[in-house]
Amino acid sequence: MPGWETTVLSGAATADTDTLMYPHGPQFGDRRTPKADDGASPEIPISVRFSIYDRSYRSLYVNNNGVVSFDVPVNQYTPDSFPLTDGRAFVAPFWADVDNRITGEVCYRQSRDLQLLQRVTADINTYFPHEEFTATWLFVATWDHVTFYGSKSSKMNTFQVVLTTDGHLSFIMLHYKDIQWTTGAASGGDPHTGLEGTPAQAGFNSGGQRNYFNIPGSRTPSILKISSTSNIRSPGRWAFQVDNFAVPNGCVYNANFLPPGTFFWSDQTCERRCQCMYGDDGVTCQARGCLLDEACLPASWYHVCQPVSRAACQVWGGRHYSTFDGQRYRFQGSCAHVLLQLCGPPRLAGPAPIRVEAESEAPGAAQGAPGIHLVRVTVYGQDLAVVRGATGHVTVS
C-alpha cells in the first residue's frame, strides 16, 4: 500500500516482569525490525532446525505485520483465512496492519540463555506432560505497544511469540498482554478505533491444505478479546506442539479449537451432532438433527440447533406464578410446584430429561413477604438444589 512519513512517538521496548511475557527489549540483546510500512527483518539464520510438521527450517523473518515467517518475508497487511496453500509457512500471533513508524517496537532474539531455557522447559512440560522435553534453543519476537496503519488514536497492542525446540520436538507459545485494536485503516478499519474492516488473523499455517490452526475469533471482531482466551487455562497464552501437531486441554476440529464438553453440529444442515470429549478421546459425532421447533443456525464456524421461539416461566414472592403461555396464577400454602419438565418420553434427538421445581415457604416461616425456600433442578441424572439462606452453596444429589 502507499507509504507516508510519520513521526516516531515512543522509545525503546521495556522489560516485562510478569509471568506471561518473556523478557524483551534492547537491554536483553534484542534487535529491532526497520521502521518501515509493511517491513520485515533481514533473513535471520537460526542455530538449530525448527520443524513445523514434516518441514524443517534454518532461517526465519520477523515481519512488522504480526508474523514470523520461514523461507520468505510476509509484507501482506490484510490477513487471509488459514489455510494458505501457496507453500508459505508462518506463525501469526496477530497478523494485521502494524505500523511501527507511528509508535512501538518490533524486536527479536534467539537465545541459549540457561535461565530462559529452564523457564520455557518448565512451561512446555506443564502443558505437555506426556512429552519429555528439555529446551536447547528459543526464539522470542515481541510487538511492543504497536499501533495500526492510519491510526488517529492512542490504541496500542502488545503481543509476543516464543519458538522453542530440543532439536526434535518443536513448540510455539503465543502471548497477548494487551490488545486494543484489530484492523488497520487500509484493511477497512476505522482510524479512530482500529476496529471493523477485516480483523486480525491468529494461529499458524504450514503452507499446505491440511496442517494449520485458527485461534477462535480470527478475522472476526472477537479477536479483540484474545488476551482473555487460552487453550492451557492461562488467559493470554496459547501453546502448541508443531512438529507433530498437538493442542492441550481441548479438541481441534477443522483446524478450530474447542474446549472439552462443547457440543456442536458439524454441517449447515445440523444432521451430525458432535462433542469435544474430556481426556484423549477427541471429537465424537453421531447422526442427530434438530427438533421440529428448532432451527439450524450458524455459531462461529459451526452450527447449533436453536429454538424458533422463546418463552419464560417466572415465580416471585413465593405465591405468584407466570407460566410459559403468559398466564398468571396465585397459590397459597407451602407447596412444591413443577416449573418445567419434558412432556412425554425423551427422544434421541431431543434435549436431556430435565425437571425444575420451586418450593414455597410455609406461612410464618420467614419475616416479611413469603418467598421461595428451595429450587431443585434435575438434569443429566444429577439433582441440584439451591436453598434460601445458603449463600454460595449448591447441594448435588
Side-chain angles (χ1 to χ4, degrees), residues 246-261:
V247 179
N249 301 317
C251 305
V252 175
Y253 191 87
N254 290 342
N256 290 279
F257 178 75
L258 293 160

Side-chain angles (χ1 to χ4, degrees), residues 148 153 155 180-185 189-196 224:
F148 56 92
S153 76
K155 291 188 174 184
Q180 300 178 0
W181 61 268
T182 66
T183 319
D190 186 323
H192 298 283
T193 65
L195 306 177
E196 303 177 6
L224 187 66

Side-chain angles (χ1 to χ4, degrees), residues 113-335:
D113 176 78
L114 180 59
Q115 186 174 2
L116 276 182
L117 292 176
Q118 290 175 340
R119 175 175 175 176
V120 75
T121 296
D123 283 339
I124 295 302
N125 284 326
T126 298
Y127 309 141
F128 300 87
H130 300 301
E131 300 287 358
E132 295 183 2
F133 178 74
T134 302
T136 58
W137 171 91
L138 81 160
F139 186 91
V140 181
T142 308
W143 289 256
D144 188 22
H145 292 87
V146 293
T147 193
F148 56 92
Y149 178 85
S151 172
K152 296 182 180 180
S153 76
S154 59
K155 291 188 174 184
M156 296 176 288
N157 289 350
T158 296
F159 54 93
Q160 184 181 73
V161 59
V162 176
L163 314 180
T164 187
T165 182
D166 63 0
H168 301 284
L169 305 177
S170 297
F171 298 87
I172 64 175
M173 292 192 296
L174 308 180
H175 299 155
Y176 302 94
K177 184 176 182 180
D178 189 21
I179 301 298
Q180 300 178 0
W181 61 268
T182 66
T183 319
S187 302
D190 186 323
H192 298 283
T193 65
L195 306 177
E196 303 177 6
T198 304
Q201 166 75 42
F204 55 87
N205 187 77
S206 71
Q209 192 169 14
R210 290 177 56 85
N211 300 321
Y212 64 97
F213 186 84
N214 293 300
I215 287 184
S218 289
R219 296 182 85 247
T220 77
S222 297
I223 200 67
L224 187 66
K225 302 176 182 179
I226 195 170
S227 59
S228 63
T229 66
S230 176
N231 68 325
I232 44 93
R233 300 171 185 168
S234 178
R237 173 176 285 178
W238 288 73
F240 308 92
Q241 183 178 348
V242 291
D243 62 282
N244 183 15
F245 181 56
V247 179
N249 301 317
C251 305
V252 175
Y253 191 87
N254 290 342
N256 290 279
F257 178 75
L258 293 160
T262 303
F263 286 98
F264 65 99
W265 274 259
S266 62
D267 64 325
Q268 61 185 4
T269 61
C270 288
E271 294 180 353
R272 283 173 52 80
R273 185 173 186 256
C274 304
Q275 182 183 16
C276 173
M277 307 300 292
Y278 291 88
D280 298 325
D281 294 332
V283 173
T284 62
C285 301
Q286 58 180 324
R288 187 166 174 179
C290 298
L291 299 177
L292 294 177
D293 58 350
E294 293 179 329
C296 183
L297 300 174
S300 183
W301 55 269
Y302 54 87
H303 285 68
V304 294
C305 291
Q306 296 282 6
V308 176
S309 60
R310 296 179 180 273
C313 173
Q314 295 179 305
V315 184
W316 66 98
R319 296 289 184 268
H320 304 279
Y321 295 80
S322 174
T323 54
F324 289 109
D325 58 3
Q327 299 296 314
R328 292 191 175 188
Y329 301 90
R330 187 172 185 273
F331 297 101
Q332 296 289 339
S334 174
C335 301

Side-chain angles (χ1 to χ4, degrees), residues 32 57 60-61 74 211 279 292 299 312:
R32 303 173 184 171
Y57 302 92
L60 52 79
Y61 296 84
V74 175
N211 300 321
L292 294 177

Side-chain angles (χ1 to χ4, degrees), residues 70-92:
F70 304 89
D71 288 341
V72 295
V74 175
N75 59 13
Q76 182 177 335
Y77 55 88
T78 299
D80 290 324
S81 294
F82 295 162
L84 304 180
T85 58
D86 55 8
R88 288 184 295 172
F90 55 81
V91 179

Side-chain angles (χ1 to χ4, degrees), residues 104-118:
E105 300 287 351
V106 183
C107 54
Y108 60 90
R109 76 183 182 282
Q110 57 182 317
S111 177
R112 293 182 183 269
D113 176 78
L114 180 59
Q115 186 174 2
L116 276 182
L117 292 176
Q118 290 175 340

